[in-house]
Amino acid sequence: MELFCAPALHYFLYQHITGEMFAHDSYALNQYALLDDSDILSAIKAWQTHPDTTLRLLAEAFVNRRLFKGRLLQQPLSLQEREQLQQQYATRFGISRSEAEYFFEEHISTSNTYSEKDDSIDILYNDGTVRNIAEASDMLNLQTLTYKPQKLYLFYYL
């Protein structure tokens, strides 16, 4: 059963589109240019009544702003915890365990801190010279500035 959607969205849902196609296939680029928010929102609103349980539930949640909740994890989910979540969602919604995976996701969030290469902070001195902040200050530790902290989250549907 094909999903209701605008022609441009249909193109992307039913074709295997690669990044290279945008460079060499003007049709793909034109279809992309035809897409807008109303195409996506109209489709999602229509999918609220789709017979596929997973699609219907996710569309309803989006339209009704029942967004996924997030929880900070100290460590990745164990295989047993992952299987337990799969079983809970499968039982709750009457779906397969593989479909249940659409209702939770682990995600690593990385904070982008200072990058000397990309985010150079230069200081202009009175004599007209320019020096990078890491060179200019003996108080700064470049390793501390460039450290990228990571946090692990579990996002899940209620």
Side-chain angles (χ1 to χ4, degrees):
M1 169 186 273
E2 285 200 7
L3 295 174
F4 167 83
C5 58
L9 181 55
H10 186 278
Y11 175 75
F12 287 98
L13 289 177
Y14 290 97
Q15 306 297 318
H16 178 72
I17 308 300
T18 64
E20 190 171 311
M21 289 178 74
F22 285 104
H24 303 294
D25 181 359
S26 63
Y27 186 76
L29 191 56
N30 288 335
Q31 291 301 301
Y32 181 76
L34 291 172
L35 278 174
D36 64 22
D37 294 356
S38 63
D39 295 325
I40 306 298
L41 292 174
S42 295
I44 292 173
K45 284 179 74 174
W47 297 342
Q48 292 179 98
T49 59
H50 197 277
D52 181 276
T53 303
T54 302
L55 179 60
R56 178 179 45 79
L57 288 169
L58 292 173
E60 285 175 354
F62 182 85
V63 170
N64 295 311
R65 292 176 174 76
R66 286 190 319 266
L67 304 178
F68 280 52
K69 304 297 182 207
R71 180 175 56 129
L72 185 62
L73 295 175
Q74 298 304 315
Q75 59 192 20
L77 293 175
S78 68
L79 181 58
Q80 181 182 6
E81 291 169 319
R82 191 168 198 80
E83 288 175 349
Q84 184 179 13
L85 279 171
Q86 286 175 321
Q87 188 58 52
Q88 286 173 352
Y89 283 113
T91 301
R92 179 177 172 191
F93 299 129
I95 57 177
S96 71
R97 289 174 60 121
S98 64
E99 290 172 308
E101 290 194 21
Y102 289 103
F103 294 93
F104 67 95
E105 177 70 30
E106 285 180 277
H107 175 74
I108 296 173
S109 176
T110 304
S111 296
N112 291 327
T113 55
Y114 175 73
S115 165
E116 188 175 10
K117 185 177 106 183
D118 298 331
D119 304 321
S120 179
I121 300 173
D122 296 324
I123 298 175
L124 175 64
Y125 288 88
N126 290 337
D127 66 0
T129 60
V130 177
R131 289 175 55 194
N132 184 280
I133 192 169
E135 299 170 8
S137 174
D138 57 355
M139 294 173 51
L140 291 176
N141 179 342
L142 193 57
Q143 284 183 317
T144 302
L145 282 176
T146 58
Y147 171 71
K148 292 191 178 210
Q150 292 185 339
K151 293 183 179 180
L152 179 63
Y153 291 93
L154 172 65
F155 292 101
Y156 57 96
Y157 180 78
L158 278 179

